[in-house]
Amino acid sequence: MRNIKLTLEYDGTNYAGWQRQTNAVTVEQKVEEAIEKLTGNHCEVIGSSRTDSGVHARAYVCNFFTDSAIPENKLKGAINNFLPEDIVARECEEVSLDFHARFCSKGKRYIYTVFNGRQRPVILRNYTYYYHRELNIENMKKAAKYLVGTYDFSAFKNKGSKPRNSIRTVTEVGIVKKGDFVIFTVTGNAFLYNMVRIIVGTLLDVGCGRFEVDYIKYILDSKDRSKAGKSAPAAGLLLDEVFY
Amino acid sequence: MRNIKLTLEYDGTNYAGWQRQTNAVTVEQKVEEAIEKLTGNHCEVIGSSRTDSGVHARAYVCNFFTDSAIPENKLKGAINNFLPEDIVARECEEVSLDFHARFCSKGKRYIYTVFNGRQRPVILRNYTYYYHRELNIENMKKAAKYLVGTYDFSAFKNKGSKPRNSIRTVTEVGIVKKGDFVIFTVTGNAFLYNMVRIIVGTLLDVGCGRFEVDYIKYILDSKDRSKAGKSAPAAGLLLDEVFY
């Protein structure tokens, strides 16, 4: 038995997220089908995280076990032959049997892209959040600093989710303006459900003046989801890297 | 009766080009349906040109006649309400009754985007041509100069097309390298079928060393399609502007 670590880039536009569902097409399903076609055997892939419907990935990591004898250096190309064009295997390597894409993950980096110009090109509609209001980037950067550290992020998680605990460590909330784009980089050891999107939505509320800079600290302390801003749309979000 | 000039941006990925077809969904069909829903009357839109399946537009121009009393400044928004999200009305103005989007056109500018880096992001697959080989941009620029002027461009037209004559005036064939991208700008009074894509394909043959720089002049003089390079894929092509 071999354990294969697979790194995928995908365009999430046409998928109901990563995780398999009965009534919708997901990335996991497409990846499992590709491996099954290649190896001839049933395959269950272990993902590093769920991603929401419409969220993209530059380097999503998953792993799977196989008895296939296909050489390591041929696997990536072989899997790509069976994947649709919006999912691409970027790396494929044999790892020790105890590697687990989710449990072994030490952290993740997400990138969120906002289009803040006058007229968004049509071809960016699935990859950016079109935000019209003028943004005070300096205030957003100041507010973002309150989110770096180890805190109970209950105010920044989807109401429906019930994690064992809501303490997470965020190591970076970067904000850069490049032309018409405002790009958020959020890195942490792990994330609650919708956490990055709620962080972005809340920082945009600071940027447009709806929230004072210091109000972010109050939201964090409140542990109350209703105090934070809206969850920013899925299309702007990209899982950039998973750390091991 | 009013004559309305409509400027559209569209992502051509999911359409079989501009012109109506019986068995495929086209941009023209979507635009006519939107106007019919808005005005309640049958509508035939006059396009400035055909675009191929998968080709995009930043500012495609068309016109249509209507008895609708909707004020000029409300028309754009009203049409957008009925258009799918990959087709967007950008400008909408009432023009004189003798305006004809095709016959009045004085020229067009196309942009063609090649990805020439190591690994193309998945989300660019529908908007770029992924060309792996190393390119000599200076040679391509020298070759491009042969194409600027008024010539019989028979060597650069799709074999199946039978235009009344093949003489066209090209005023610009620009080539710029920006990071991993090579961007072609081709401007002219009018274009033969597939002309821009064949120009790009042929200049790439110069760039990779398959053709000598001066060979372009020989191809042009030959008026023989089989001498030129392949037609570059539709996905990289964007109709950037139509001049009146």
Side-chain angles (χ1 to χ4, degrees):
Chain A
M1 182 68 77
R2 302 158 72 196
N3 188 10
I4 308 295
K5 179 187 175 195
L6 178 64
T7 305
L8 301 165
E9 181 182 352
Y10 58 80
D11 178 339
T13 304
N14 296 320
Y15 298 100
W18 166 261
Q19 195 169 49
R20 251 191 198 273
Q21 294 183 24
T22 32
N23 296 316
V25 180
T26 66
V27 180
E28 183 182 14
Q29 174 193 336
K30 288 291 177 186
V31 174
E32 290 175 347
E33 285 172 2
I35 296 167
E36 286 171 6
K37 281 177 195 155
L38 175 65
T39 64
N41 291 307
H42 175 70
C43 176
E44 280 181 33
V45 164
I46 298 161
S48 48
S49 64
R50 301 179 183 189
T51 59
D52 283 346
S53 184
V55 170
H56 316 289
R58 190 190 65 82
Y60 186 93
V61 176
C62 57
N63 71 294
F64 63 94
F65 294 92
T66 181
D67 289 318
S68 163
I70 299 169
E72 189 181 15
N73 63 352
K74 302 278 185 201
L75 263 175
K76 183 176 83 173
I79 292 171
N80 276 329
N81 282 339
F82 293 102
L83 283 172
E85 63 168 10
D86 47 8
I87 305 174
V88 177
R90 290 301 187 195
E91 289 171 40
C92 198
E93 54 173 327
E94 195 167 341
V95 288
S96 65
L97 287 175
D98 60 354
F99 175 83
H100 185 288
R102 182 150 56 95
F103 299 148
C104 297
S105 156
K106 291 199 166 63
K108 294 189 192 80
R109 180 175 56 236
Y110 285 92
I111 291 177
Y112 194 98
T113 306
V114 166
F115 184 88
N116 190 226
R118 204 181 58 83
Q119 188 173 284
R120 179 174 66 173
V122 171
I123 65 170
L124 295 180
R125 71 194 181 285
N126 295 321
Y127 312 110
T128 58
Y129 172 28
Y130 190 2
Y131 191 85
H132 299 255
R133 301 177 71 174
E134 202 177 320
L135 290 170
N136 183 325
I137 303 290
E138 290 312 309
N139 278 354
M140 292 164 70
K141 286 181 180 175
K142 284 179 203 162
K145 284 185 187 164
Y146 285 115
L147 300 172
V148 175
T150 302
Y151 301 110
D152 182 328
F153 280 93
S154 291
F156 295 88
K157 76 170 202 293
N158 184 293
K159 270 183 225 168
S161 74
K162 304 269 180 241
R164 266 175 295 177
N165 81 66
S166 298
I167 295 169
R168 298 291 184 274
T169 299
V170 169
T171 53
E172 175 190 25
V173 183
I175 303 166
V176 175
K177 183 156 171 70
K178 283 187 188 174
D180 286 335
F181 298 90
V182 180
I183 298 156
F184 297 76
T185 305
V186 185
T187 310
N189 71 331
F191 292 92
L192 299 165
Y193 186 44
N194 283 168
M195 181 167 150
V196 177
R197 290 167 54 189
I198 298 168
I199 285 175
V200 169
T202 306
L203 291 174
L204 289 169
D205 278 336
V206 172
C208 76
R210 184 174 165 239
F211 289 160
E212 297 287 328
V213 170
D214 296 344
Y215 192 70
I216 297 296
K217 187 167 159 42
Y218 168 77
I219 295 169
L220 194 61
D221 291 345
S222 77
K223 304 182 184 62
D224 177 359
R225 171 68 188 91
S226 71
K227 297 285 187 288
K230 277 189 212 160
S231 178
L237 187 61
L238 173 88
L239 172 57
D240 190 50
E241 196 167 350
V242 186
F243 305 109
Y244 292 96
Chain B
M1 181 70 74
R2 303 158 72 197
N3 187 9
I4 308 294
K5 178 187 175 197
L6 178 64
T7 305
L8 300 165
E9 181 183 351
Y10 59 81
D11 178 340
T13 304
N14 296 320
Y15 298 101
W18 166 262
Q19 195 169 48
R20 252 191 197 271
Q21 294 182 26
T22 32
N23 296 314
V25 180
T26 66
V27 180
E28 182 182 14
Q29 175 192 334
K30 288 291 177 186
V31 173
E32 290 176 346
E33 285 172 2
I35 296 166
E36 285 171 7
K37 281 177 197 157
L38 175 66
T39 64
N41 290 309
H42 175 73
C43 175
E44 280 181 35
V45 164
I46 298 161
S48 48
S49 65
R50 300 179 185 191
T51 58
D52 283 346
S53 184
V55 170
H56 315 288
R58 190 189 65 81
Y60 187 94
V61 176
C62 56
N63 71 295
F64 63 94
F65 294 91
T66 181
D67 289 318
S68 163
I70 299 170
E72 189 180 18
N73 63 352
K74 303 276 184 202
L75 262 176
K76 183 175 82 171
I79 291 172
N80 276 329
N81 283 340
F82 293 101
L83 283 172
E85 64 167 10
D86 48 6
I87 305 174
V88 176
R90 290 301 188 195
E91 289 171 38
C92 198
E93 55 173 327
E94 193 164 343
V95 289
S96 65
L97 287 174
D98 61 355
F99 175 82
H100 186 286
R102 183 151 56 96
F103 297 149
C104 297
S105 156
K106 291 199 166 64
K108 292 186 192 84
R109 180 174 58 235
Y110 285 92
I111 291 178
Y112 194 97
T113 305
V114 167
F115 184 88
N116 191 227
R118 204 181 58 83
Q119 187 172 285
R120 179 174 65 174
V122 171
I123 65 169
L124 295 179
R125 71 193 181 285
N126 295 321
Y127 312 110
T128 59
Y129 172 27
Y130 189 3
Y131 191 84
H132 298 255
R133 301 176 71 175
E134 202 177 319
L135 290 170
N136 183 324
I137 303 290
E138 289 313 307
N139 279 354
M140 291 164 70
K141 286 180 179 176
K142 285 178 200 161
K145 284 184 186 162
Y146 285 115
L147 300 172
V148 175
T150 302
Y151 302 110
D152 182 327
F153 279 94
S154 291
F156 295 88
K157 75 168 202 292
N158 184 294
K159 269 183 225 168
S161 74
K162 304 270 180 241
R164 265 175 296 180
N165 81 66
S166 299
I167 295 168
R168 298 291 183 275
T169 299
V170 170
T171 54
E172 175 189 25
V173 183
I175 303 167
V176 174
K177 183 158 172 67
K178 283 188 188 173
D180 286 335
F181 298 90
V182 179
I183 298 156
F184 297 76
T185 305
V186 185
T187 310
N189 71 332
F191 292 91
L192 300 165
Y193 186 44
N194 285 168
M195 181 168 150
V196 177
R197 290 167 53 188
I198 298 168
I199 286 176
V200 170
T202 306
L203 291 174
L204 289 170
D205 278 336
V206 172
C208 76
R210 187 176 162 235
F211 289 161
E212 297 286 329
V213 169
D214 296 346
Y215 192 72
I216 296 295
K217 184 167 161 45
Y218 168 77
I219 295 170
L220 194 60
D221 290 346
S222 76
K223 304 183 185 64
D224 176 359
R225 171 67 187 93
S226 72
K227 296 286 186 288
K230 277 187 212 160
S231 178
L237 188 61
L238 174 89
L239 173 56
D240 189 51
E241 195 166 352
V242 185
F243 305 109
Y244 291 96

